[in-house]
Amino acid sequence: MTSAVTTENSARPGYGQLLRTPGAAGFLLPGFAARLPFGMLTISILLLVQHTTGSYGSAGIVAAVTGISMALCAPVTGMLTDRFGQSAVLVPGVLLHSAAVSGLAALALAGAPVWALALAAVPSGASVPQVGPMVRARWAAKLEGSPLLPTAAAFESVTDEFTFVVGPVLATALCTGIHPAAGLVTEAALTLVGGLVFAARRASQPKPHAETASGAPHASALSFPGLRVLIVAFLGIGAVFGGMQVSLAAFTAEAGSPGANGLLYGVFAAGNMIAGIACGAIAWKIGPRRRLLLGYVGLTAAASLLWTAGSMPMLGALGLVVGLCIAPALITGYTMVESLIPANARTEAFTWLTGSVAFGQAVAVIVAGRLTDAHGASYGFLVPMAATALALVTLLALRAKLAPQTPGRIVNASPSQVASTAPEAGDERALGHRVPVTVD
């Protein structure tokens, strides 16, 4: 009877079944409240610094420093979280972030020079709470080996995209309607309150892994080659986000309709959300590695056409297609962490991927901005094309590195432990699934 029920549920994974997971409601709502400020941070800095300095270039520098600092420090936060637990890292993290952002706002209002603002942006970005990866780690702990994992990854992707739709709108309304610093002040307050409430939900937190079963400290998630390949893929995805942000703004400005920028980016984001919802509702018949490769081929092809757009309707249509192609690659990459990385390093793995998107986005903003200034808006779209093409070549060349690890593998395990966890030939449970599934 149990086998029959498991087979039926695995054949029809859906959001209703996912949200009925015991204990999920306890961390989902606080998790959303704690990650919403992340979507407000960059635009709040841009608007405040532009107001106080009168320069979009200076504002872009400060925002880019924030993003790069976050990308570089996120894996450290993830590693500490895996070793000491989410609450132990999140509570001091949100306190530090709120203080750092408040300090940045105060410096900007005081008319501090750009170098001082850039310096203050370092702790503001480095201390960004990694709530998204922590939520994903909670799903991975609860659903380990379950066919609902792709659905959970899709749900989180849609949540992220919703955050990046609502966050900038809220921040813009606060900065333009109340005070130029209102966006950053609200971001700091929401981070503090939401982060502390999320940290208090201890029952669903993954167990910390300070040591392996052999007593040795566990290695970094980066030591697994599959994660390094996924990082390259996610850098390409981040470059799409960054290149689109700059190039859409420049394109609409050149066309004499700067207000259309929000509409075009909304169409792009809507495509991502629609595809994300669909990905979570499909019972996939092909393995995740093949899905990732096929999804990335589609993303590269779509991104390569952006620079050919000669009108806003055409650019909107191409942006929608690009958005539709991002979600399958992004969701599949997050899903693969469960099979590529052991449980004692998964939060760090998720932060590497999240940080890779942020880093790719920050670099793309700078490169696309320079190309746009020098040659026009269409040239900024060459950044998503080049970045995805390079990432696709890497994925194809190193696809063998994306083969799943054996279940229960322990980082730095002894030879006897490895032997005890290795699957037998023909073992259908080798990937940790409850029923046989198609693999590459």
Side-chain angles (χ1 to χ4, degrees), residues 98-191:
S98 298
V101 168
S102 299
L104 174 59
L107 283 173
L109 292 175
V114 174
W115 67 263
L117 297 178
L119 192 62
V122 173
S124 297
S127 60
V128 169
Q130 298 302 310
V131 178
M134 290 181 184
V135 173
R136 285 184 166 91
R138 295 192 189 205
W139 278 125
K142 282 189 168 293
L143 301 175
E144 185 159 7
S146 167
L148 281 172
L149 267 175
T151 306
F155 182 85
E156 290 306 308
S157 178
V158 173
T159 302
D160 283 340
E161 200 60 42
F162 185 74
T163 296
F164 279 101
V165 171
V166 175
V169 172
L170 176 59
T172 301
L174 290 169
C175 291
T176 58
I178 298 178
H179 189 276
L184 269 187
V185 172
T186 303
E187 190 274 345
L190 288 177
T191 297

Side-chain angles (χ1 to χ4, degrees), residues 15 150-151 153-155 157-158 271-281 323-324 327-328 331:
Y15 294 107
T151 306
F155 182 85
S157 178
V158 173
N272 198 355
M273 291 181 66
I274 292 169
I277 293 170
C279 284
L324 290 170
I331 290 167

Side-chain angles (χ1 to χ4, degrees), residues 144-145 224 336-344 346 401-411 413-425 427-433:
E144 185 159 7
F224 290 84
M336 294 178 74
V337 169
E338 192 252 350
S339 62
L340 292 173
I341 308 298
N344 62 355
R346 282 184 193 148
K401 303 294 185 182
L402 297 174
Q405 302 290 330
T406 57
R409 179 174 175 179
I410 305 171
V411 186
S414 66
S416 61
Q417 289 171 317
V418 173
S420 67
T421 60
E424 297 289 339
D427 187 354
E428 294 177 340
R429 298 170 298 170
L431 296 183
H433 291 284

